């Protein structure tokens, strides 16, 4: 599974342009944090000494979870005694680098463990497409840039690396069906885990109203460079055919389908749903400084962190590093040659588990 995405990853402490405000330029993050704070103000607080459980679904190395979790804890602290425990549970697939996660929690100056004496951390290494926490225990859930990953590859994509750009209708349909099923499963299991009154805030890739998946210049550069790597015999044509990125954006209606027609899935409802184009902050920077090389390398580095590991899975292990380096520099050069703004369709969804009416 890929590492945390650079589009949302905060600029690391110690890098030249680190600042709290740089962190908040991350695509869509500011609005999602506001929704998370609002949720923290609205949920019922379990009676002390029970802990308030916050779940972070698809945490990766945890960097991008720190600001939202701090914001939620601050909002909760206006409603609780300072000694009521908050238990944050970071979840990801078993292959995730949980050591990196725990190092982030120990070392990052923005770690909630440094800011709140009664905050505790834990982790779960299981797919969130099943129930992974006990029923009725989670007060607040957070998930950013994670439910875009499908639970498996539903069908090979032989004419592109992403199904939405495939010319084959059957292939596109197979990916859309699994995306729909995965969203249903994600929602249904969170519905069990949430306490009555609890909320989950989800930020993920979307498909715009006009059907646009986005990132067109990026995918164009990627496909052109992959073709070139075949020509240069860095990879074979068969290896390229085997490469596929099983991620999915969803249209607004895809998010609401599990709740149709009543607007409810068991006790769950959608409290907020917004599909929007997030800001391309690399483009904004390029407009200020006209540094095409930086623009190209920022997007190529994002792409590498997000999906190269998945693409390289089609290759022998000893070829992967060379392939990733060549692909990153090639994509960076292509984007630098003709910088173009990316469309980044995103969705923010707030799920609410309504208390049962007696
Ligand atoms: C792009 S990272 C996002 C990390 C972080 N939340 C952020 O906003 O930057 C996606 C994470 O979701 C995790 N993920 C993907 N599918 C998952 C699943 N079925 N269950 C749990 N985690 C999953 C990946 O392993 C990866 O760590």
């Amino acid at each position: 599974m890929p590492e945390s995405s650079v589009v949302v990853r905060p600029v690391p402490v110690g890098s030249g342009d680190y600042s709290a405000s740089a962190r908040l330029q991350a695509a869509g993050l500011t609005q999602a944090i506001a929704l998370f704070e609002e949720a923290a103000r609205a949920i019922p607080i379990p009676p002390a000494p029970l802990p308030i459980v916050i779940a972070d679904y698809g945490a990766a190395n945890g960097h991008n979870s720190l600001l939202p979790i701090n914001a939620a804890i601050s909002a909760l602290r206006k409603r609780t005694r300072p000694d009521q425990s908050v238990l944050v549970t970071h979840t990801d697939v078993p292959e995730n680098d949980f050591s990196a996660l725990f190092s982030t929690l120990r070392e990052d100056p923005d770690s909630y463990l440094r800011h709140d004496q009664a905050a505790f951390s834990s982790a779960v290494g299981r797919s969130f497409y099943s129930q992974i926490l006990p029923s009725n225990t989670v007060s607040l859930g957070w998930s950013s840039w994670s439910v875009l990953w499908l639970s498996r590859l539903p069908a090979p994509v032989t004419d592109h690396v992403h199904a939405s750009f495939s010319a084959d209708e059957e292939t596109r349909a197979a990916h859309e069906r699994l995306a729909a099923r995965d969203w249903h499963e994600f929602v249904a299991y969170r519905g069990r885990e949430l306490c009555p009154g609890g909320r989950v805030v989800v930020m993920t890739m979307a498909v715009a109203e006009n059907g646009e998946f986005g990132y067109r210049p990026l995918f164009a550069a990627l496909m052109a460079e992959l073709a070139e790597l075949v020509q240069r015999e860095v990879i074979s044509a068969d290896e390229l055919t085997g490469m596929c990125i099983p991620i999915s954006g969803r249209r607004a209606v895809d998010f609401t389908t599990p709740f149709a027609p009543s607007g409810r899935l068991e006790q769950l409802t959608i409290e907020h749903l917004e599909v929007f184009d997030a800001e391309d902050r690399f483009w904004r920077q390029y407009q200020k400084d006209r540094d095409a090389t930086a623009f190209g390398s920022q997007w190529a580095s994002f792409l590498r962190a997000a999906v190269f590991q998945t693409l390289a899975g089609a290759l022998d292990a000893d070829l992967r590093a060379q392939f990733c380096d060549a692909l990153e520099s090639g994509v960076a050069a292509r984007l630098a040659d003709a910088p173009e703004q990316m469309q980044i369709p995103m969705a923010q969804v707030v799920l609410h588990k309504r208390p049962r009416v007696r």
Side-chain angles (χ1 to χ4, degrees):
M1 278 292 170
E3 245 269 51
S4 186
S5 86
V6 176
V7 164
V8 295
R9 174 183 287 169
V11 179
V13 181
S15 73
D17 52 354
Y18 172 79
S19 73
S21 64
R23 286 187 157 207
L24 286 174
Q25 286 160 10
L29 197 58
T30 318
Q31 303 96 300
I33 288 178
L35 291 171
F36 203 41
E37 283 174 314
E38 204 179 307
R41 287 193 289 269
I43 53 159
I45 306 279
L50 289 177
I52 304 164
V53 176
I54 301 179
D56 175 19
Y57 296 103
N61 61 17
H63 268 117
N64 291 334
S65 309
L66 298 180
L67 290 182
I69 290 171
N70 277 329
I73 293 177
S74 299
L76 289 171
R77 284 294 175 231
K78 297 201 170 95
R79 307 174 58 205
T80 69
R81 289 169 48 120
D83 59 356
Q84 182 166 6
S85 311
V86 173
L87 175 63
V88 182
T89 182
H90 299 275
T91 83
D92 212 295
V93 291
E95 300 76 27
N96 186 52
D97 185 351
F98 283 98
S99 297
L101 168 75
F102 287 116
S103 299
T104 302
L105 297 180
R106 184 182 58 195
E107 283 153 26
D108 196 298
D110 282 330
S111 169
Y112 56 85
L113 294 179
R114 292 179 174 230
H115 293 292
D116 195 287
Q117 293 296 312
F120 298 87
S121 55
S122 62
V124 173
R126 292 178 72 187
S127 167
F128 49 48
Y129 295 125
S130 60
Q131 184 171 353
I132 55 174
L133 289 164
S135 299
N136 298 306
T137 58
V138 175
S139 289
L140 273 177
W142 170 263
S143 184
S144 70
W145 290 89
S146 298
V147 293
L148 47 113
W149 285 94
L150 297 178
S151 52
R152 61 185 168 81
L153 179 63
V157 185
T158 52
D159 58 345
H160 203 280
V161 293
H162 191 263
S164 69
F165 297 104
S166 170
D168 185 61
E169 207 173 304
E170 260 308 299
T171 302
R172 291 199 307 274
H175 281 247
E176 281 169 22
R177 274 196 303 275
L178 185 61
R181 183 168 179 274
D182 282 348
W183 174 244
H184 182 281
E185 300 294 274
F186 181 86
V187 167
Y189 289 119
R190 302 303 78 76
R192 288 194 198 165
E193 294 167 355
L194 276 179
C195 299
R199 269 105 169 147
V200 180
V201 174
V202 179
M203 180 161 80
T204 185
M205 285 170 90
V207 170
E209 272 308 299
N210 61 1
E212 184 56 49
F213 177 78
Y215 307 91
R216 279 190 184 264
L218 188 63
F219 275 102
L222 175 63
M223 294 310 291
E225 196 53 35
L226 285 169
E228 170 141 355
L229 293 184
V230 172
Q231 256 189 356
R232 281 170 37 203
E233 298 185 355
V234 177
I235 57 173
S236 70
D238 281 352
E239 284 167 336
L240 173 55
T241 305
M243 289 181 183
C244 175
I245 310 167
I247 59 175
S248 183
R250 295 177 175 92
R251 296 163 300 163
V253 66
D254 299 328
F255 291 104
T256 57
T257 296
F259 300 86
S262 65
R264 282 187 179 227
L265 179 68
E266 298 181 9
Q267 284 168 263
L268 272 193
T269 59
I270 293 187
E271 193 169 66
H272 176 93
L273 168 62
E274 192 183 350
V275 171
F276 62 101
D277 283 334
E279 184 187 33
D280 175 354
R281 67 188 169 118
F282 303 148
W283 174 255
R284 187 164 55 129
Q285 185 60 34
Y286 169 69
Q287 288 196 304
K288 273 197 224 147
D289 59 21
R290 293 285 145 189
D291 186 344
T293 307
F295 175 82
S297 58
Q298 282 167 326
W299 268 111
S301 146
F302 157 71
L303 198 63
R304 180 177 189 146
V307 301
F308 278 17
Q309 225 181 306
T310 304
L311 296 175
L315 305 177
D316 288 342
D318 55 336
L319 284 177
R320 290 178 191 164
Q322 183 205 350
F323 162 75
C324 290
D325 290 346
L327 191 57
E328 182 177 356
S329 60
V331 168
R334 284 174 192 275
L335 291 172
D337 269 355
E340 253 188 276
Q341 185 174 9
M342 304 290 165
Q343 187 178 354
I344 308 177
M346 292 200 56
Q348 284 167 353
V349 188
V350 181
L351 306 171
H352 175 206
K353 181 167 172 176
R354 294 192 174 272
R356 280 194 199 285
V357 185
R358 285 167 195 265

